[in-house]
Structure formats: structure tokens, C-alpha cells
Amino acid sequence: MDDAEPVQPSLNSSYIPTAHDNHQVSEDEDTEDQSPAASLLPKQSSVPLAVHYSPEDSYCLVYLIFFLMGIGSLLPWNFFITAKHYWHYKLSNNTHGGSGGEQRSDLSDYFESYLAISSTVPSVLCLILNYLLVNRLSPKVRILSSLFVILLVFVGTTVLVKVDVSGCRVEFFIGTLASVAVVSGASNLLSGSVFGISGHFPMRISQALISGQAMGGTLSAVASIADLALAKDVTDSALAYFLTADFFILLCIVMYLLLPKLPYSRHYMLAATCASPGVMSEGGAAAGTGSTASIPPLRPILKKTWVLGLSVFYVFCISIMVFPAVSSGILSVNKDSSSPWTTTYFVPLTAFLLYNIADFCGRQATAWLQVPGPTSRVLPLLVLCRSVIVPLFMLCNYQPRNHIHTVLFTHDVYPVVFNCLLGLSNGYLGTLPMIYGPKVVPRELAEATGVVMSFFLTLGLAVGSAFSVLIVHCI
């Protein structure tokens, strides 16, 4: 084996380094060869059979670690947006009378809209920075630094839960938005870096990461509802809520440190190193080893992925237009009744839990069904059809209404159905392009393509969040 000539990766190559010792053919390799994205790749008849061997993912540990990293990458943002009752309590005109004595204020009414902007705009800048640093800083440095920044901000947020801010609500509002901006920037640096390295693994690993992101939203929604049910005081509920987030962030740090020690992950990280001896130039030729710290070429990536990137952009643009700024403002039409379902639990269950469960189901479905394929025109067509979701939410019982007074959907079942539809379509149509992207480019560009696809996603969130503010003010 040592005397064999090294295999040179070609365009769209699925090159994997030669296996050694007791490596076996893994099931995910066979699975990936049958995937729609893999069908685009030319068969490498000149590649020795041994290169298709790899260690097994024992106990699915690598899958679970990437699933957990997916949870950690979006969990901070989800914990911020799901704590709706806590923010309204802190930003209300009366924080001395408990949760029952809240009085609405402009700060609390429009908090979700401003939170969406503060979380997405810095994320775009961080993803641009991530692309520039993809060959200059190792993924380990980028991922661990992001996790520690997120942990630091969340510890500060947890401490402020028991601090009385009734005399400085505006300052607390600004500080919270600044914290959200920092956390979102670090989260997107984390997400882009993890998704980038997942591009070197079989498609099931990328799918695990994206499913984990959806699970992060589900866990935050479940934690929020559990805290509302178990804690009598808003601040006690929020304290337990944010401590849960602190624990998960710490767990992500520990599990990521474990990742390089596993034979399965070491094998594919070695594959990335061997397949990328130099960064490709714009013309497609591999640069020398002295160019390994240069910026990855953008043109060949966009040439292969621009349709997929625009699909991701539009999917998340539409989703953030209505979630959470509009969906969390839709109240039960029976809110005046004394039932806890219509007063306390309606918004957490319909706007957050149902949406996140549906989103998770949509993302998980891509593990078994990957239709339409990466080159199909049906995919962008389905993405465009999601535009109808926006007026459907606007015509539900969103409150307060200052301009559009017509409520067309006057039953509580409508927001339930619409949130499920929003989550399912977001999960499925948003995941397919994300997992296709790194598979339709040369392996040496897989990590940079993962960052580019994350950039399209975050840009869609940034643009959609700006429109969400406009929609809230128009209603």
C-alpha cells in the first residue's frame, strides 16, 4: 500500500484515503453512493477498492455528536426567542406585580421583531468572516471560541434574571439585543464551521447536524413550557430555563473535544486533508502548498450551487418573516376565558413547540426521502410556493392590530395548521439544498461550500427579519 501512487481527486470526486488495518466498508458509504447528490458524481473506476473502506461509526457516536452540535448551534437563539413571557415581564411597565400584573409597552410589543434583526444582521458579517478564515484558522479554533463566547453571554443572561431592571428597562432592552447579536454571530460562526467540516463526511452526518438544529428549537420550546408549568414565578422559571441552556453549551464543548479521538471522524478528517493539498485557484487548478492559507475560490462554488443557495435563502427568508414575530403574536380567539390553554399555553404550544416539532420532522424526513434532486427545477418552484404562508399568518388573530383589522381565520385550529405547515416545509425544503451543496462541488471545496450555504441561509434570515418588522407594523 505504501508503494502505490497517491490518488488525485478530480472534479466532484468522492475520494477517500486508503484504509488501513482493520477498516471495514461502512454502511453510510453505501448509502451515500445511492443518494441523489452522489448520482451526479462520476464513477472513479481508477480508484482502488481499498479507498472505499472506512471505520465504522461505533454506537453512532459521531452521528450523535454532530446531532448535538446542531442542537448547540441554534439552541442559544431559540432560547432567546422562546422566552417570550420572560422578556415581556422584564420589559413591561410593571414588573412588581408578578406575571399577572404585566402591562404591555412598546418595548415588549415589538421585541421579537427587533430581536430578529439584531440576531441575523451580525450573523451575515460573521459568516463572511468565517469564509475568509476557513483556510486561516482551524475549525477547532473557530468552533471552540464560538462556544466559549456563547457560554459567557448566557452566564451573564442567567445572572441578570434575578436583577430588578424596572428602573432601566431601555438599557436592559439594548443590552439584551447586544447579547443576542453577539450570541447569534458566534452561533453562526459555529454553525458554518461545523457544517463545513460535515461536508467531508457522508451525507448522513450533514443530515444529523441539520436535524439537531431543529431539535434545538424543540428542546427550547419544551423547556419553556415545562418551566411555565412548574415554576410559579416568572423569574424562577427563566432561571431554570437559562441554566438548561448553560448545561447544553457545556455539553457541546465536551463532546466536540471528544470528536477527534474517534476513529471514524479521524478517517474523514484525514480524507479532507489528503483531498485538499492546496486551495484551488479560480481557474480550477490546484494551487501549491503555499496557498493553503488563501481564501477559497468563490466562483466555482457559486457556479455549482447558486440555485441551491437561492433556494435556501428564500426558504428561511419566508420563515423568519412570520416566525416568531407574527406567529408568537397570534392569540387564542377565546383568550378571555379562564382556561390555561387559551391564556398561558396557547402561544408556547402553537407558535414554538408545534413549529419546532414540525421543523424537526421535515428535516428528519430528508434522511429517507431526498426528492426533488439537486438539479431539479421542482425544488425552487416548491420554495416559491411557500410565499402564500405570509398572508395566511397575517389574517389570523394577531394582536394588537392597528391597521389591518380583518381577521379571516377566526378559529384556533388555523394557527395550529399554519405553524405545522410552516415548520414542515421549512425543515424539508431548507435541508435538501443544505445537504446537496457540499456534495456537488469538488471535495477540496466542501468545507468552503458549507460556509457559503450557511451564508445564504443567514442572509435569508437577515432579509426576512427586516420584512418581519414591516409586517408587524403594517398589521
Side-chain angles (χ1 to χ4, degrees), residues 315-366:
V315 165
F316 286 91
C317 181
I318 292 297
S319 296
I320 202 69
M321 279 187 193
V322 294
F323 176 84
V326 178
S327 62
S328 65
I330 297 176
L331 305 180
S332 170
V333 293
N334 301 312
K335 190 177 185 302
D336 294 335
S337 68
S338 58
S339 171
W341 153 252
T342 60
T343 55
T344 303
Y345 297 109
F346 182 80
V347 171
L349 284 171
T350 60
F352 294 108
L353 183 61
L354 280 180
Y355 169 82
N356 282 292
I357 290 177
D359 185 36
F360 174 76
C361 292
R363 297 185 191 217
Q364 196 64 30
T366 60

Side-chain angles (χ1 to χ4, degrees), residues 369-423:
L369 181 66
Q370 295 165 16
V371 178
T375 59
S376 173
R377 295 182 180 179
V378 177
L379 179 60
L381 182 62
L382 291 175
V383 169
L384 288 174
C385 289
R386 296 185 77 242
S387 303
V388 72
I389 290 177
V390 178
L392 293 181
F393 274 89
M394 293 175 65
L395 293 175
C396 287
N397 188 39
Y398 177 89
Q399 299 296 333
R401 308 181 74 92
N402 297 318
H403 300 95
I404 303 177
H405 298 289
T406 302
V407 177
L408 182 61
F409 303 107
T410 56
H411 196 284
D412 288 347
V413 72
Y414 289 110
V416 170
V417 173
F418 295 159
N419 273 295
C420 290
L421 179 63
L422 179 69

Side-chain angles (χ1 to χ4, degrees), residues 234-284:
V234 175
T235 56
D236 289 341
S237 170
L239 182 62
Y241 183 64
F242 286 115
L243 283 173
T244 305
D246 297 339
F247 169 77
F248 269 99
I249 297 168
L250 276 173
L251 184 61
C252 285
I253 294 174
V254 173
M255 296 305 290
Y256 179 75
L257 292 174
L258 175 65
L259 184 65
K261 302 181 184 300
L262 302 174
Y264 182 82
S265 56
R266 280 205 311 268
H267 173 78
Y268 284 99
M269 289 176 179
L270 175 63
T273 303
C274 294
S276 307
V279 179
M280 291 185 65
S281 64
E282 289 287 347

Side-chain angles (χ1 to χ4, degrees), residues 20-100:
H20 302 283
D21 303 329
N22 60 346
H23 292 182
Q24 301 175 351
V25 178
S26 62
E27 294 181 3
D28 49 39
E29 281 294 309
D30 296 333
T31 302
E32 184 177 348
D33 289 341
Q34 302 302 321
S35 67
S39 65
L40 298 177
L41 309 181
K43 298 296 182 182
Q44 304 294 322
S45 57
S46 60
V47 179
L49 180 62
V51 303
H52 294 288
Y53 282 67
S54 67
E56 293 183 355
D57 183 11
S58 301
Y59 304 104
C60 292
L61 280 177
V62 174
Y63 184 94
L64 292 174
I65 289 175
F66 274 92
F67 186 83
L68 181 63
M69 295 302 293
I71 293 177
S73 64
L74 281 190
L75 182 137
W77 183 74
N78 279 300
F79 264 71
F80 270 112
I81 67 170
T82 309
K84 183 181 178 74
H85 287 278
Y86 170 70
W87 301 123
H88 280 205
Y89 169 74
K90 282 284 193 179
L91 297 171
S92 66
N93 290 325
N94 177 20
T95 59
H96 295 289
S99 59

Side-chain angles (χ1 to χ4, degrees), residues 93-302:
N93 290 325
N94 177 20
T95 59
H96 295 289
S99 59
E102 290 184 22
Q103 297 177 6
R104 302 183 73 105
S105 68
D106 287 342
L107 294 180
S108 61
D109 285 344
Y110 299 113
F111 177 75
E112 284 83 4
S113 299
Y114 291 117
L115 183 146
I117 293 177
S118 65
S119 65
T120 52
V121 174
S123 299
V124 175
L125 301 178
C126 284
L127 279 174
I128 294 175
L129 178 64
N130 193 22
Y131 186 80
L132 297 177
L133 295 177
V134 71
N135 285 330
R136 300 175 187 270
L137 287 178
S138 68
K140 181 177 181 180
V141 173
R142 285 178 276 137
I143 291 172
L144 288 179
S145 60
S146 300
L147 285 170
F148 278 111
V149 168
I150 294 171
L151 180 61
L152 182 64
V153 174
F154 259 87
V155 169
T157 303
T158 306
V159 171
L160 287 175
V161 168
K162 289 295 185 177
V163 176
D164 183 11
V165 298
S166 57
C168 51
R169 285 191 300 272
V170 175
E171 290 80 3
F172 178 77
F173 177 81
I174 296 173
T176 300
L177 294 184
S179 297
V180 170
V182 172
V183 165
S184 297
S187 295
N188 277 272
L189 189 62
L190 168 66
S191 178
S193 299
V194 176
F195 191 78
I197 63 174
S198 73
H200 298 300
F201 288 76
M203 192 177 290
R204 63 186 285 270
I205 299 299
S206 297
Q207 189 272 334
L209 176 63
I210 298 174
S211 294
Q213 291 179 332
M215 180 55 70
T218 303
L219 287 177
S220 63
V222 170
S224 175
I225 294 172
D227 291 335
L228 283 174
L230 298 176
K232 297 181 180 180
D233 184 72
V234 175
T235 56
D236 289 341
S237 170
L239 182 62
Y241 183 64
F242 286 115
L243 283 173
T244 305
D246 297 339
F247 169 77
F248 269 99
I249 297 168
L250 276 173
L251 184 61
C252 285
I253 294 174
V254 173
M255 296 305 290
Y256 179 75
L257 292 174
L258 175 65
L259 184 65
K261 302 181 184 300
L262 302 174
Y264 182 82
S265 56
R266 280 205 311 268
H267 173 78
Y268 284 99
M269 289 176 179
L270 175 63
T273 303
C274 294
S276 307
V279 179
M280 291 185 65
S281 64
E282 289 287 347
T289 55
S291 301
T292 54
S294 62
I295 300 172
L298 189 59
R299 186 180 301 171
I301 294 176
L302 292 179

